[in-house]
Structures are given as C-alpha cells and as structure tokens.
Amino acid sequence: MSQKETSAVGAKTCPAIEMRGITKIYPNGVVANQGVDFSVNYGEIHAVMGENGAGKSTLMKMLFGMERPDQGEILFEGKPVQIHSPADAIALHIGMVHQEFMLVPSLTVAENMVLREEPLRGGLFIDYAKAVKATREISEKYRLPIDPNARVADLPVGMKQRVEILKALYRGAKILILDEPTAVLTPQETEELFRQLLILRDSGHTVIFISHKIREIKQICDRITILKDGHSMGIYQVADISEADISRLMVGHDVKMDLDKQPTQPGEVVLQVKNLCYGYGEGKLKVDGVSFSVRRGEVVGIAGVEGNGQRELIEMITGIRPIQRGSVHIGGKDISKMSVYQIREEARCAYVPQERLIFGVAPDTDIEENLMACLFDMPEYSKGGILRRKPITARAKELIQEFTIKCDNEKQAVGMLSGGNIQKVVAARELSRPRDLIVVDQPSRGIDVGATKFIQNKIIQLRDAGSAVLVSSADLAEIMALSDRLLVMYEGEIAAVFTDLSGVTEQQLGEYMLGIKKQTPEEIGACFYEQ
C-alpha cells in the first residue's frame, strides 16, 4: 500500500493529529501549557483561540517542532512521534504560515517556492525553468493562481500570503497551521483566503486557524479548541457555540463587545501634517504629499493595506524616521528638528508602535523598568538623581493590575511575556499619563478580545479627556469603531476621507484600500484644518 493510501486509511479511523497531556514549563517557571489535550481531523478547519498567555502559540510551536513539550505525547495518524524541529514536522506533512511572512522580498515567487530545495541543472546551477514549472503546477493543482516570475516585494499582502501557503503545500503539507492569517488583509482579500481554505479543506487537508477574530471563526471554522491559562476549556462544534460563550470561555467572564463611545466634540488642532513626503531615491515615494489634521477630542483613523505608507507616515510623526519633505506640527511646534525624546516630552506625544519589540520595549529588562522608563525623572520617582524605589515599584504594580498584564511580578523580564502582554506593557506606559497627542499603530494586533476592548476603551477615554488621537489599524472593524474621522491610504496617498462612518461598510472601504476607487481632491481636502 502506498504512503498516500496509508494516510487516507489513517484519516478515516483516527484523528490526523493528537496531542495528549501536553505540558510546557519554561525555565523561569512560567507554565505555558498544563495537561492540554488537542486533536484535529483531516478535512476540517479547526480554530485555536485563547487570551494572550493562554498557551495557544506555544502549543502550535510544539506541533511544528519549534518548542519541545516537557510532558505528554504527540500522535500522527494514531502513532506516537517525536517532533524535534520544523524539519521533523515538514516530514510529517505539517506546515506553518507565520503571521510575519518568511519570504525573501528580492526573489521571485518561483525562487521563494524552491528555496533550500532548488532543482539543479548539471548538478551545479539552479534550474530556474524547473522552479517556474513546479510553481505553476502547485498553483494550478490547488487553484491558487500566482505569477511565478513576479518579485515578492512587488506583490500585495494577500498574494504574499498565498505564496506562503503554496510553499507549505509544495513541501507536502497536509496539515496547515495559520497564525492570525487575516491580520493584514482587506475584506476582499479575507474572502479570497477563505475561499482558498475551503478548497483545501474539501480536498482533504486540515487547517489549524489561530485567530482573535470570533466573527471569522464562526464564518470559516468547523470546530474550535479554547485555551485559558494554559488549560484546555474543551473542543466545540463552532455551529453550536455562540460568540458570547466563546468570549466567556476565553476570558472567564462576559465581555461587553460594544465601545462606550459618545459623539465627539473636537477642539483646536493638535497635529497638523502638511505635504509630507518620504521615499526619495527609492523609485516611488512611500508617502506622497499627505496632508491632514487631528483635533483635540477626536480619534482620526488610518486604514490601508500594509505597505501603502501608513508605517512611514506614523514613524515620521513620532520622530522614528526623518521628514524628507513637508512639515509636521504638534501643538503648534515644528517637530522636524526634534529628537524622539523632545517629541515625547516637549510636544507631549505618546506612541504605541506596531514593532513593540523594536521600538516599544527593552526586552532584556524587567517590566517595572519598561513601565516607568518615561517617568524616572519626575520628582515623585527620583530626588537628586537618586531613584525612589518604593513609589516606582508601587506605580508599576498599579499599572500591571490596571492593564491586567499577566506576569509573575514586576521584576520579570519583558521578553519572557507573551506578545499580547508585551503590547499591554507598552500600552500601560503610553496611555497612563496625560498627553496632547496619542499615536497608536495596530492597537489590537496579537491581543485577545478582552485586552482589545480594554485598550480601545482607554483610547476613547483619552479622547474624551481632551487628547488628540491618531490610530492606524489593518482591522477594519476596529478602525471603524474607534474613528470619528477615517482616512484611507493607497500607494502613499490619501485615497478617501470619511467624516461620517454611518452607513459605510467594510466592503466599501476595501475598494479604496485596493485602489479600485479614489475620492476627488476636494473630498480628500476635508481632512485638513488650519491651526
């Protein structure tokens, strides 16, 4: 009997994968998983959900060989297996598509597809024609069309994700783990991804779908495993469990999904961006003549597919990137010559960055130091250059409790926290003191429903207290809920401005995000106010 026939028989008589009694305890004593049972069948889309620190990422890393369990066993088609590395997982036909794509932007699709498995000509040279042929064959087999000769750097985000999925399938994956696959997709791209996943499911593949978006889980998944505090809360048929019950099992209590948001009453202009440009010498401007204002007491949102200039725009406003042309004023102050410290302190700007490990925290230092990094020079926390440890520790403990940061104590290294709890540390530091301008880039990326609602409500509270708030998010439901005015960016320009979001749908926004539609210059001019 062939290996394929053996797999088909195994799929009928037992789960494709079983994880029994999985326990993982890190050297610092953090219990990531405690006696977790998990199983998936061939031909299903299976969701894995849980709060930050619940253990879902660790569980999947163990399945893909990136971590090793301390206790328990993994069974593949009913037989115990040892998965010591991703290579072992790939040999078992398990593939994983990470949230951060693992592609080489300068290479073509075909070159990325065969990377480390390149077909050779004459035993020495890469046979590019064979790589192109193999790419076409795998894309046609799974009805996922792609141009093998396209350079990855030139592809939209949805196509890059398709390349990642095809790469896993090319390497023989029958079980595909997707980590937050819709985090950076438009509604149209999400619909296309779901169509692809249903094709894979119907062809007998298994998809493990890690997501924080309950609405999407209900739309696409067959079963769901819910984790809480490292324990399994059970496996459920998605059709038989409500969104409220999923939230309750994840968080441990009912979660109010709607924002407590009153109509805005904007005041004077705090942030004024005028004719801002970035990307000279790079072929095409990343930010091309952008102008807009944010007033006190309002939230202005920026929507757009990643790679359309939002990141460069925000990093110029916050001092991370130099301003090549144009101007940025915060509270009437020209910040073009200011340091990051001066923008934060003199222009009174807070910043929650997308790249939290690079710009948000010092991962090797403890939680207390990261929480208090901006406050050490305040009189209540230092005197004569000497730190006052008791009030510093007391304030750090207050913030840990207020922002529900899951940790051992304030002395734990930030780098040992889950991604969502690192995000909470950054949010706690940046959103816990009065600032004139609050800039938040991807506020809910990688965090659970409870933490998301907490941070969103905090943003609205700061707006109501008189701060001007600028938020960029790839999550359209989030950006529409938060924004009083919404800008859409496409290819470095503002493609649309919405001053009233009532009646605007995610599908309509997606058309502007993809460049299908663009407003007139007069309509776009509505986003700029003189100081």
Side-chain angles (χ1 to χ4, degrees):
M1 185 180 290
S2 70
Q3 184 176 356
K4 185 179 288 187
E5 288 170 336
T6 302
S7 296
V9 171
K12 291 178 183 178
T13 58
C14 64
I17 287 286
E18 285 184 275
M19 303 178 79
R20 297 177 179 173
I22 298 295
T23 295
K24 176 67 179 179
I25 303 174
Y26 286 105
N28 65 351
V30 173
V31 179
N33 295 118
Q34 183 69 54
V36 173
D37 293 334
F38 173 78
S39 71
V40 291
N41 303 317
Y42 282 122
E44 75 165 332
I45 302 176
H46 193 117
V48 179
M49 296 196 75
E51 282 193 289
N52 298 122
K56 56 190 183 298
S57 293
T58 301
L59 189 68
M60 290 301 104
K61 285 179 179 178
M62 286 187 281
L63 181 55
F64 194 59
M66 299 171 70
E67 298 276 4
R68 295 284 303 278
D70 297 314
Q71 295 178 23
E73 62 176 350
I74 300 174
L75 286 78
F76 176 73
E77 296 181 350
K79 298 177 181 179
V81 293
Q82 297 292 321
I83 304 178
H84 296 159
S85 68
D88 291 340
I90 291 168
L92 293 169
H93 310 296
I94 301 170
M96 186 167 185
V97 176
H98 300 273
Q99 188 172 338
E100 301 295 332
F101 299 148
M102 313 292 282
L103 300 171
V104 182
S106 60
L107 299 183
T108 66
V109 170
E111 288 167 335
N112 272 279
M113 193 69 61
V114 301
L115 197 61
R116 296 188 179 179
E117 295 184 7
E118 296 87 350
L120 299 179
R121 178 165 42 84
L124 294 174
F125 304 102
I126 296 174
D127 192 330
Y128 184 70
K130 281 189 177 179
V132 169
K133 183 173 182 287
T135 302
R136 285 204 175 104
E137 287 175 349
I138 196 78
S139 67
E140 289 171 3
K141 177 181 178 181
Y142 291 103
R143 289 180 280 170
L144 302 175
I146 194 81
D147 179 3
N149 296 303
R151 196 169 68 110
V152 164
D154 299 329
L155 295 176
V157 174
M159 280 296 176
K160 289 177 183 176
Q161 187 175 69
R162 181 176 296 187
V163 175
E164 286 280 28
I165 292 172
L166 284 170
K167 264 180 61 181
L169 295 171
Y170 176 75
R171 286 158 175 74
K174 294 289 288 181
I175 299 164
L176 195 60
I177 305 167
L178 302 181
D179 188 5
E180 298 286 348
T182 66
V184 295
L185 302 184
T186 65
Q188 289 86 346
E189 289 171 324
T190 296
E191 286 181 9
E192 177 61 22
L193 171 65
F194 287 177
R195 185 191 68 80
Q196 296 164 10
L197 297 184
L198 291 172
I199 289 171
L200 288 174
R201 182 195 67 182
D202 294 344
S203 66
H205 287 70
T206 295
V207 177
I208 300 174
F209 192 95
I210 306 171
S211 177
H212 288 98
K213 299 179 180 179
I214 298 177
R215 183 178 55 177
E216 292 181 355
I217 295 297
K218 293 288 288 183
Q219 181 179 347
I220 191 70
C221 296
D222 301 300
R223 293 194 299 158
I224 179 173
T225 295
I226 300 173
L227 300 180
K228 184 178 187 302
D229 296 331
H231 295 80
S232 173
M233 303 300 289
I235 299 175
Y236 302 87
Q237 294 291 333
V238 169
D240 298 335
I241 187 169
S242 68
E243 294 186 17
D245 287 338
I246 293 172
S247 296
R248 191 179 305 111
L249 286 165
M250 285 171 52
V251 180
H253 55 79
D254 290 329
V255 178
K256 182 183 178 183
M257 303 304 293
D258 295 330
L259 284 175
D260 185 13
K261 182 182 176 185
Q262 301 300 316
T264 180
Q265 296 180 339
E268 73 271 17
V269 170
V270 173
L271 171 66
Q272 190 177 67
V273 175
K274 195 167 186 179
N275 297 323
L276 205 60
C277 296
Y278 186 86
Y280 288 103
E282 298 182 26
K284 180 172 173 49
L285 291 178
K286 300 289 183 64
V287 178
D288 190 357
V290 169
S291 299
F292 69 94
S293 306
V294 184
R295 297 169 293 179
R296 193 176 295 280
E298 73 170 344
V299 177
V300 171
I302 301 177
V305 177
E306 288 200 9
N308 280 274
Q310 310 95 298
R311 179 172 179 172
E312 290 81 2
L313 175 65
I314 282 177
E315 291 183 355
M316 282 190 284
I317 292 169
T318 54
I320 305 296
R321 290 177 188 258
I323 295 170
Q324 292 183 339
R325 182 173 294 178
S327 64
V328 176
H329 288 78
I330 301 175
K333 298 183 175 78
D334 181 354
I335 62 111
S336 59
K337 304 298 183 184
M338 287 186 177
S339 66
V340 171
Y341 178 82
Q342 288 172 321
I343 292 171
R344 293 177 62 84
E345 300 305 320
E346 294 179 22
R348 290 174 55 82
C349 174
Y351 177 37
V352 179
Q354 178 182 162
E355 298 285 356
R356 52 199 175 218
L357 281 172
I358 298 174
F359 299 120
V361 296
D364 294 332
T365 60
D366 63 39
I367 297 169
E368 180 182 288
E369 290 174 308
N370 277 276
L371 286 173
M372 303 299 290
C374 304
L375 305 175
F376 284 138
D377 57 351
M378 295 181 66
E380 56 263 51
Y381 302 117
S382 65
K383 186 175 182 180
I386 299 174
L387 297 178
R388 303 177 65 189
R389 284 293 175 187
K390 284 187 177 180
I392 286 172
T393 298
R395 180 57 178 155
K397 287 181 175 179
E398 288 175 4
L399 291 174
I400 287 169
Q401 183 174 3
E402 180 182 352
F403 283 78
T404 62
I405 299 167
K406 192 174 292 184
C407 60
D408 292 339
N409 53 58
E410 72 280 358
K411 300 299 183 183
Q412 185 177 350
V414 164
M416 296 304 298
L417 301 179
S418 69
N421 280 295
I422 293 173
Q423 178 79 329
K424 290 182 185 180
V425 170
V426 179
R429 183 185 65 234
E430 299 299 314
L431 306 182
S432 61
R433 61 178 183 151
R435 298 283 90 180
D436 292 332
L437 175 65
I438 312 287
V439 181
V440 187
D441 194 2
Q442 309 299 337
S444 66
R445 177 163 299 172
I447 62 175
D448 55 72
V449 61
T452 294
K453 291 308 167 189
F454 179 87
I455 290 175
Q456 290 175 352
N457 281 313
K458 191 71 176 178
I459 288 171
I460 298 303
Q461 289 171 17
L462 290 166
R463 178 204 75 163
D464 293 344
S467 294
V469 185
L470 179 66
V471 178
S472 176
S473 176
D475 186 327
L476 289 189
E478 171 176 66
I479 202 70
M480 292 176 74
L482 284 171
S483 300
D484 300 305
R485 286 189 294 129
L486 181 61
L487 319 179
V488 180
M489 288 192 69
Y490 176 71
E491 291 191 342
E493 300 178 343
I494 294 176
V497 178
F498 296 92
T499 56
D500 181 3
L501 286 166
S502 59
V504 179
T505 68
E506 292 184 19
Q507 292 290 334
Q508 289 171 324
L509 286 182
E511 291 178 341
Y512 291 101
M513 291 166 67
L514 293 171
I516 298 170
K517 289 183 177 180
K518 185 176 181 179
Q519 290 180 352
T520 65
E522 291 73 24
E523 290 173 306
I524 292 171
C527 64
F528 185 80
Y529 300 92
E530 293 289 350
Q531 284 184 312

